Amino acid sequence: MSVFTLERPCPALMKHPYTKIILGLEVYGLANIKSAKKRILVAETRTARNKAIKSKVKTAIKKVDAAVAAKDQEAAKSALLNAVSEIGKATSKGVYHKNTASRKISRLNKAVNGIA
């Protein structure tokens, strides 16, 4: 059985079904080739990163929606700026496609402008 050890463990890997922790992080399971094992680890790391970024975007959007529901225009505008910034960061990192980002921003702008 081959073992691949990673010095810097990723939190998402701890839940992976083919991962066991025995004095460090080791990948057991389907992959036998070293590069395939690395791809498993890299994919899990990227998945965790993308999940965190998407969570930030969703939280920012919820804040805008809450301000719109409360009809608080000042809070909605400040939350909108933050949300647009988070969506832009996610787009630049490749988490969202540019059209998806534009659609999200457009819908938020329409909601905030609908308050007035």
Side-chain angles (χ1 to χ4, degrees):
M1 180 184 292
S2 61
V3 176
F4 183 74
T5 305
L6 182 69
E7 295 175 12
R8 189 172 52 92
C10 171
L13 287 174
M14 302 306 179
K15 298 176 188 171
H16 197 276
Y18 298 114
T19 302
K20 286 188 177 180
I21 301 172
I22 304 170
L23 300 176
L25 183 66
E26 301 169 343
V27 176
Y28 294 96
L30 301 177
N32 291 320
I33 299 168
K34 186 175 182 180
S35 62
K37 292 175 186 177
K38 182 179 178 185
R39 297 312 318 157
I40 291 171
L41 297 175
V42 170
E44 291 292 335
T45 303
R46 287 184 177 177
T47 300
R49 173 181 162 266
N50 292 346
K51 190 174 180 181
I53 292 170
K54 282 186 178 185
S55 177
K56 278 186 175 182
V57 170
K58 288 177 187 177
T59 301
I61 290 173
K62 286 178 187 176
K63 288 181 181 178
V64 174
D65 290 340
V68 168
K71 302 212 183 283
D72 186 358
Q73 193 166 12
E74 291 303 316
K77 284 186 178 182
S78 63
L80 176 65
L81 286 174
N82 184 34
V84 169
S85 173
E86 289 294 335
I87 293 170
K89 288 177 192 175
T91 305
S92 69
K93 292 176 183 179
V95 177
Y96 286 121
H97 188 271
K98 63 179 184 173
N99 292 355
T100 302
S102 295
R103 183 179 68 245
K104 288 180 180 295
I105 291 170
S106 176
R107 288 176 180 171
L108 291 174
N109 273 320
K110 185 175 178 182
V112 171
N113 290 338
I115 293 175

mmCIF file with all atom_site columns, all heavy atoms in Angstrom, residues 52-66:
data_model
loop_
_atom_site.group_PDB
_atom_site.id
_atom_site.type_symbol
_atom_site.label_atom_id
_atom_site.label_alt_id
_atom_site.label_comp_id
_atom_site.label_asym_id
_atom_site.label_entity_id
_atom_site.label_seq_id
_atom_site.pdbx_PDB_ins_code
_atom_site.Cartn_x
_atom_site.Cartn_y
_atom_site.Cartn_z
_atom_site.occupancy
_atom_site.B_iso_or_equiv
_atom_site.pdbx_formal_charge
_atom_site.auth_seq_id
_atom_site.auth_comp_id
_atom_site.auth_asym_id
_atom_site.auth_atom_id
_atom_site.pdbx_PDB_model_num
ATOM 1   N N   . ALA A 1 52 ? -15.390 28.694 1.110  1.00 0.00 ? 52 ALA A N   1
ATOM 2   C CA  . ALA A 1 52 ? -15.272 29.838 2.016  1.00 0.00 ? 52 ALA A CA  1
ATOM 3   C C   . ALA A 1 52 ? -15.588 31.144 1.289  1.00 0.00 ? 52 ALA A C   1
ATOM 4   O O   . ALA A 1 52 ? -16.289 32.017 1.829  1.00 0.00 ? 52 ALA A O   1
ATOM 5   C CB  . ALA A 1 52 ? -13.873 29.893 2.612  1.00 0.00 ? 52 ALA A CB  1
ATOM 6   N N   . ILE A 1 53 ? -15.098 31.274 0.071  1.00 0.00 ? 53 ILE A N   1
ATOM 7   C CA  . ILE A 1 53 ? -15.340 32.496 -0.701 1.00 0.00 ? 53 ILE A CA  1
ATOM 8   C C   . ILE A 1 53 ? -16.819 32.626 -1.037 1.00 0.00 ? 53 ILE A C   1
ATOM 9   O O   . ILE A 1 53 ? -17.414 33.702 -0.904 1.00 0.00 ? 53 ILE A O   1
ATOM 10  C CB  . ILE A 1 53 ? -14.476 32.506 -1.970 1.00 0.00 ? 53 ILE A CB  1
ATOM 11  C CG1 . ILE A 1 53 ? -12.995 32.643 -1.597 1.00 0.00 ? 53 ILE A CG1 1
ATOM 12  C CG2 . ILE A 1 53 ? -14.884 33.633 -2.905 1.00 0.00 ? 53 ILE A CG2 1
ATOM 13  C CD1 . ILE A 1 53 ? -12.026 32.425 -2.733 1.00 0.00 ? 53 ILE A CD1 1
ATOM 14  N N   . LYS A 1 54 ? -17.449 31.526 -1.455 1.00 0.00 ? 54 LYS A N   1
ATOM 15  C CA  . LYS A 1 54 ? -18.878 31.562 -1.773 1.00 0.00 ? 54 LYS A CA  1
ATOM 16  C C   . LYS A 1 54 ? -19.707 31.894 -0.542 1.00 0.00 ? 54 LYS A C   1
ATOM 17  O O   . LYS A 1 54 ? -20.719 32.598 -0.632 1.00 0.00 ? 54 LYS A O   1
ATOM 18  C CB  . LYS A 1 54 ? -19.332 30.222 -2.348 1.00 0.00 ? 54 LYS A CB  1
ATOM 19  C CG  . LYS A 1 54 ? -18.951 30.028 -3.791 1.00 0.00 ? 54 LYS A CG  1
ATOM 20  C CD  . LYS A 1 54 ? -19.550 28.744 -4.332 1.00 0.00 ? 54 LYS A CD  1
ATOM 21  C CE  . LYS A 1 54 ? -19.204 28.574 -5.795 1.00 0.00 ? 54 LYS A CE  1
ATOM 22  N NZ  . LYS A 1 54 ? -19.859 27.394 -6.381 1.00 0.00 ? 54 LYS A NZ  1
ATOM 23  N N   . SER A 1 55 ? -19.278 31.407 0.602  1.00 0.00 ? 55 SER A N   1
ATOM 24  C CA  . SER A 1 55 ? -19.982 31.695 1.842  1.00 0.00 ? 55 SER A CA  1
ATOM 25  C C   . SER A 1 55 ? -19.937 33.189 2.160  1.00 0.00 ? 55 SER A C   1
ATOM 26  O O   . SER A 1 55 ? -20.949 33.773 2.578  1.00 0.00 ? 55 SER A O   1
ATOM 27  C CB  . SER A 1 55 ? -19.363 30.889 2.979  1.00 0.00 ? 55 SER A CB  1
ATOM 28  O OG  . SER A 1 55 ? -19.990 31.200 4.196  1.00 0.00 ? 55 SER A OG  1
ATOM 29  N N   . LYS A 1 56 ? -18.772 33.809 1.945  1.00 0.00 ? 56 LYS A N   1
ATOM 30  C CA  . LYS A 1 56 ? -18.655 35.258 2.165  1.00 0.00 ? 56 LYS A CA  1
ATOM 31  C C   . LYS A 1 56 ? -19.600 36.030 1.254  1.00 0.00 ? 56 LYS A C   1
ATOM 32  O O   . LYS A 1 56 ? -20.256 36.988 1.679  1.00 0.00 ? 56 LYS A O   1
ATOM 33  C CB  . LYS A 1 56 ? -17.222 35.722 1.895  1.00 0.00 ? 56 LYS A CB  1
ATOM 34  C CG  . LYS A 1 56 ? -16.267 35.515 3.013  1.00 0.00 ? 56 LYS A CG  1
ATOM 35  C CD  . LYS A 1 56 ? -14.927 36.147 2.658  1.00 0.00 ? 56 LYS A CD  1
ATOM 36  C CE  . LYS A 1 56 ? -13.973 36.066 3.814  1.00 0.00 ? 56 LYS A CE  1
ATOM 37  N NZ  . LYS A 1 56 ? -12.688 36.721 3.495  1.00 0.00 ? 56 LYS A NZ  1
ATOM 38  N N   . VAL A 1 57 ? -19.668 35.608 -0.010 1.00 0.00 ? 57 VAL A N   1
ATOM 39  C CA  . VAL A 1 57 ? -20.544 36.284 -0.972 1.00 0.00 ? 57 VAL A CA  1
ATOM 40  C C   . VAL A 1 57 ? -22.004 36.134 -0.555 1.00 0.00 ? 57 VAL A C   1
ATOM 41  O O   . VAL A 1 57 ? -22.762 37.107 -0.558 1.00 0.00 ? 57 VAL A O   1
ATOM 42  C CB  . VAL A 1 57 ? -20.318 35.736 -2.399 1.00 0.00 ? 57 VAL A CB  1
ATOM 43  C CG1 . VAL A 1 57 ? -21.383 36.256 -3.355 1.00 0.00 ? 57 VAL A CG1 1
ATOM 44  C CG2 . VAL A 1 57 ? -18.934 36.113 -2.900 1.00 0.00 ? 57 VAL A CG2 1
ATOM 45  N N   . LYS A 1 58 ? -22.388 34.925 -0.174 1.00 0.00 ? 58 LYS A N   1
ATOM 46  C CA  . LYS A 1 58 ? -23.778 34.692 0.227  1.00 0.00 ? 58 LYS A CA  1
ATOM 47  C C   . LYS A 1 58 ? -24.149 35.514 1.454  1.00 0.00 ? 58 LYS A C   1
ATOM 48  O O   . LYS A 1 58 ? -25.261 36.059 1.547  1.00 0.00 ? 58 LYS A O   1
ATOM 49  C CB  . LYS A 1 58 ? -24.001 33.210 0.513  1.00 0.00 ? 58 LYS A CB  1
ATOM 50  C CG  . LYS A 1 58 ? -24.006 32.346 -0.734 1.00 0.00 ? 58 LYS A CG  1
ATOM 51  C CD  . LYS A 1 58 ? -24.160 30.891 -0.347 1.00 0.00 ? 58 LYS A CD  1
ATOM 52  C CE  . LYS A 1 58 ? -24.002 29.976 -1.538 1.00 0.00 ? 58 LYS A CE  1
ATOM 53  N NZ  . LYS A 1 58 ? -24.079 28.556 -1.171 1.00 0.00 ? 58 LYS A NZ  1
ATOM 54  N N   . THR A 1 59 ? -23.223 35.629 2.398  1.00 0.00 ? 59 THR A N   1
ATOM 55  C CA  . THR A 1 59 ? -23.473 36.419 3.600  1.00 0.00 ? 59 THR A CA  1
ATOM 56  C C   . THR A 1 59 ? -23.664 37.890 3.236  1.00 0.00 ? 59 THR A C   1
ATOM 57  O O   . THR A 1 59 ? -24.576 38.561 3.749  1.00 0.00 ? 59 THR A O   1
ATOM 58  C CB  . THR A 1 59 ? -22.308 36.276 4.595  1.00 0.00 ? 59 THR A CB  1
ATOM 59  O OG1 . THR A 1 59 ? -22.166 34.896 4.925  1.00 0.00 ? 59 THR A OG1 1
ATOM 60  C CG2 . THR A 1 59 ? -22.553 37.085 5.855  1.00 0.00 ? 59 THR A CG2 1
ATOM 61  N N   . ALA A 1 60 ? -22.821 38.390 2.339  1.00 0.00 ? 60 ALA A N   1
ATOM 62  C CA  . ALA A 1 60 ? -22.930 39.790 1.916  1.00 0.00 ? 60 ALA A CA  1
ATOM 63  C C   . ALA A 1 60 ? -24.266 40.037 1.211  1.00 0.00 ? 60 ALA A C   1
ATOM 64  O O   . ALA A 1 60 ? -24.915 41.069 1.433  1.00 0.00 ? 60 ALA A O   1
ATOM 65  C CB  . ALA A 1 60 ? -21.762 40.147 1.001  1.00 0.00 ? 60 ALA A CB  1
ATOM 66  N N   . ILE A 1 61 ? -24.685 39.094 0.389  1.00 0.00 ? 61 ILE A N   1
ATOM 67  C CA  . ILE A 1 61 ? -25.965 39.236 -0.320 1.00 0.00 ? 61 ILE A CA  1
ATOM 68  C C   . ILE A 1 61 ? -27.126 39.212 0.672  1.00 0.00 ? 61 ILE A C   1
ATOM 69  O O   . ILE A 1 61 ? -28.087 39.986 0.540  1.00 0.00 ? 61 ILE A O   1
ATOM 70  C CB  . ILE A 1 61 ? -26.112 38.131 -1.388 1.00 0.00 ? 61 ILE A CB  1
ATOM 71  C CG1 . ILE A 1 61 ? -25.128 38.391 -2.536 1.00 0.00 ? 61 ILE A CG1 1
ATOM 72  C CG2 . ILE A 1 61 ? -27.536 38.054 -1.918 1.00 0.00 ? 61 ILE A CG2 1
ATOM 73  C CD1 . ILE A 1 61 ? -25.060 37.285 -3.564 1.00 0.00 ? 61 ILE A CD1 1
ATOM 74  N N   . LYS A 1 62 ? -27.051 38.352 1.672  1.00 0.00 ? 62 LYS A N   1
ATOM 75  C CA  . LYS A 1 62 ? -28.110 38.289 2.684  1.00 0.00 ? 62 LYS A CA  1
ATOM 76  C C   . LYS A 1 62 ? -28.229 39.605 3.448  1.00 0.00 ? 62 LYS A C   1
ATOM 77  O O   . LYS A 1 62 ? -29.333 40.027 3.812  1.00 0.00 ? 62 LYS A O   1
ATOM 78  C CB  . LYS A 1 62 ? -27.848 37.143 3.658  1.00 0.00 ? 62 LYS A CB  1
ATOM 79  C CG  . LYS A 1 62 ? -28.133 35.780 3.079  1.00 0.00 ? 62 LYS A CG  1
ATOM 80  C CD  . LYS A 1 62 ? -27.800 34.695 4.076  1.00 0.00 ? 62 LYS A CD  1
ATOM 81  C CE  . LYS A 1 62 ? -27.924 33.323 3.434  1.00 0.00 ? 62 LYS A CE  1
ATOM 82  N NZ  . LYS A 1 62 ? -27.509 32.244 4.341  1.00 0.00 ? 62 LYS A NZ  1
ATOM 83  N N   . LYS A 1 63 ? -27.086 40.258 3.699  1.00 0.00 ? 63 LYS A N   1
ATOM 84  C CA  . LYS A 1 63 ? -27.122 41.548 4.400  1.00 0.00 ? 63 LYS A CA  1
ATOM 85  C C   . LYS A 1 63 ? -27.822 42.604 3.557  1.00 0.00 ? 63 LYS A C   1
ATOM 86  O O   . LYS A 1 63 ? -28.585 43.415 4.081  1.00 0.00 ? 63 LYS A O   1
ATOM 87  C CB  . LYS A 1 63 ? -25.703 41.990 4.768  1.00 0.00 ? 63 LYS A CB  1
ATOM 88  C CG  . LYS A 1 63 ? -25.107 41.179 5.895  1.00 0.00 ? 63 LYS A CG  1
ATOM 89  C CD  . LYS A 1 63 ? -23.718 41.646 6.253  1.00 0.00 ? 63 LYS A CD  1
ATOM 90  C CE  . LYS A 1 63 ? -23.141 40.789 7.371  1.00 0.00 ? 63 LYS A CE  1
ATOM 91  N NZ  . LYS A 1 63 ? -21.776 41.176 7.722  1.00 0.00 ? 63 LYS A NZ  1
ATOM 92  N N   . VAL A 1 64 ? -27.570 42.594 2.248  1.00 0.00 ? 64 VAL A N   1
ATOM 93  C CA  . VAL A 1 64 ? -28.250 43.533 1.356  1.00 0.00 ? 64 VAL A CA  1
ATOM 94  C C   . VAL A 1 64 ? -29.745 43.240 1.358  1.00 0.00 ? 64 VAL A C   1
ATOM 95  O O   . VAL A 1 64 ? -30.567 44.158 1.481  1.00 0.00 ? 64 VAL A O   1
ATOM 96  C CB  . VAL A 1 64 ? -27.688 43.446 -0.084 1.00 0.00 ? 64 VAL A CB  1
ATOM 97  C CG1 . VAL A 1 64 ? -28.501 44.315 -1.026 1.00 0.00 ? 64 VAL A CG1 1
ATOM 98  C CG2 . VAL A 1 64 ? -26.233 43.857 -0.119 1.00 0.00 ? 64 VAL A CG2 1
ATOM 99  N N   . ASP A 1 65 ? -30.108 41.971 1.236  1.00 0.00 ? 65 ASP A N   1
ATOM 100 C CA  . ASP A 1 65 ? -31.520 41.599 1.215  1.00 0.00 ? 65 ASP A CA  1
ATOM 101 C C   . ASP A 1 65 ? -32.231 41.987 2.514  1.00 0.00 ? 65 ASP A C   1
ATOM 102 O O   . ASP A 1 65 ? -33.382 42.435 2.495  1.00 0.00 ? 65 ASP A O   1
ATOM 103 C CB  . ASP A 1 65 ? -31.671 40.098 0.963  1.00 0.00 ? 65 ASP A CB  1
ATOM 104 C CG  . ASP A 1 65 ? -31.291 39.710 -0.461 1.00 0.00 ? 65 ASP A CG  1
ATOM 105 O OD1 . ASP A 1 65 ? -31.284 40.598 -1.341 1.00 0.00 ? 65 ASP A OD1 1
ATOM 106 O OD2 . ASP A 1 65 ? -30.991 38.512 -0.684 1.00 0.00 ? 65 ASP A OD2 1
ATOM 107 N N   . ALA A 1 66 ? -31.537 41.820 3.636  1.00 0.00 ? 66 ALA A N   1
ATOM 108 C CA  . ALA A 1 66 ? -32.131 42.187 4.924  1.00 0.00 ? 66 ALA A CA  1
ATOM 109 C C   . ALA A 1 66 ? -32.367 43.690 5.004  1.00 0.00 ? 66 ALA A C   1
ATOM 110 O O   . ALA A 1 66 ? -33.409 44.146 5.493  1.00 0.00 ? 66 ALA A O   1
ATOM 111 C CB  . ALA A 1 66 ? -31.237 41.730 6.068  1.00 0.00 ? 66 ALA A CB  1
#
